[in-house]
């Protein structure tokens, strides 16, 4: 709730989302869930939807275009900023991170070293398959595809199809495959 109550949303609204609305699974109730929280996003375009079980961190720093679908059980981390273009699909149980722990100082526990991060930008007409993890600071170009289960640690070119851990080019939306790069 604390994360949802950042800007422009009351504690009660945040509580209703996290404890009730995020669990609604039927189509009608899903529309109500999206209505309940759309004002809390930094931006939320027409025709976009948030499915059940989605966790949102610093939702007021998440900007979502039009006709975007966030599938069930995803985590969207807006702490350092997150943008998604129009028509983009985020497959179920995907995690998009803009924040991470500092960890390099061996003399101090990781938990005491604070947080760092960088904004994530995902273009338009991008498809993230299920269980994709996008790491802080990554930019994914328009019309790219990320295969199921991938960890995206570097920027992805527009129109590229990438897959694996770390995600590498496995093809292109236009058709030609480039598995060797
Ligand atoms: C990305 C995807 C669409 C690629 O489909 P495709 O273009 O037909 O690709 P191919 O099956 O021909 O595979 C191309 C290469 O990528 C590899 N590859 C495919 N999917 C992969 C994945 N998820 N992770 C790693 N490598 C993958 C293949 O093994 C193949 O490698 P090779 O050339 O060395 O043999 C598909 O694999 C995928 O991940 N779909 C997502 C399904 C999903 O999440 N559904 C839920 C929707 S919400």
């Amino acid at each position: 709730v604390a994360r949802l109550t950042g800007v422009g949303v009351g504690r009660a609204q945040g509580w209703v989302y996290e404890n009730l609305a995020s669990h609604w699974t039927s189509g009608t109730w899903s529309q109500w869930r999206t209505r309940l929280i759309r004002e809390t996003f930094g931006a939320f375009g027409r025709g976009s939807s948030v499915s059940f079980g989605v966790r949102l961190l610093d939702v007021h720093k998440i900007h979502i275009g039009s006709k975007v679908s966030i599938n069930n059980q995803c985590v969207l981390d807006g702490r350092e900023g997150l943008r998604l273009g129009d028509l983009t699909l985020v497959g179920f149980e995907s995690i998009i991170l803009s924040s991470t722990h500092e960890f390099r100082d061996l003399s101090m526990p990781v938990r005491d070293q604070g947080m760092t991060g960088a904004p994530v930008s995902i273009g338009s007409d991008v498809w993230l398959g299920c269980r994709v993890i996008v790491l802080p600071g990554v930019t994914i170009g328009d019309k790219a595809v990320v295969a199921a289960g991938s960890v995206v640690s570097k920027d992805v070119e527009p129109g590229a199809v990438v897959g694996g851990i770390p995600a590498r080019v496995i093809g292109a939306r236009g058709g030609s495959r480039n598995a060797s790069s």
Side-chain angles (χ1 to χ4, degrees):
V1 175
R3 289 294 182 187
L4 265 177
T5 53
V7 169
V9 58
R11 287 190 75 80
Q13 200 174 343
W15 189 92
V16 169
Y17 174 75
E18 296 223 340
N19 294 284
L20 298 174
S22 69
H23 306 297
W24 295 337
T25 52
S26 79
T28 309
W29 287 106
S30 291
Q31 289 171 15
W32 280 103
R33 173 184 38 255
T34 299
R35 278 189 201 179
L36 178 73
I37 56 165
R38 62 179 302 150
E39 305 303 328
T40 71
F41 282 83
F44 195 86
R46 289 179 76 85
S48 293
S49 63
V50 174
S51 192
F52 66 88
V54 172
R55 306 285 304 181
L56 302 162
L57 300 177
D58 284 4
V59 65
H60 58 287
K61 295 187 206 163
I62 302 174
H63 292 70
I64 286 187
S66 303
K67 296 188 177 175
V68 170
S69 296
I70 311 297
N71 225 307
N72 50 293
Q73 313 291 0
C74 288
V75 178
L76 302 187
D77 173 7
R79 286 175 289 183
E80 296 298 327
L82 169 57
R83 287 183 179 271
L84 287 91
D86 301 330
L87 300 160
T88 282
L89 306 174
V90 182
F92 57 83
E93 298 183 359
S94 291
I95 300 175
I96 304 175
L97 296 167
S98 63
S99 191
T100 186
H101 286 277
E102 294 277 10
F103 62 91
R104 295 192 191 281
D105 187 346
L106 258 181
S107 68
M108 196 188 283
V110 171
R111 60 172 298 144
D112 295 337
Q113 293 187 38
M115 302 294 289
T116 182
V120 169
S121 175
I122 298 178
S124 294
D125 187 22
V126 171
W127 174 31
L128 305 189
C130 65
R131 292 203 166 174
V132 166
I133 297 177
V134 180
L135 296 178
V138 162
T139 294
I140 299 180
D142 294 343
K143 299 186 179 295
V145 170
V146 181
S150 304
V151 176
V152 187
S153 57
K154 297 203 169 93
D155 292 354
V156 176
E157 292 293 317
V161 180
V162 300
I165 303 174
R168 301 194 191 286
V169 175
I170 60 173
R173 276 279 291 276
S176 68
R177 189 189 290 185
N178 186 14
S180 59
S181 60

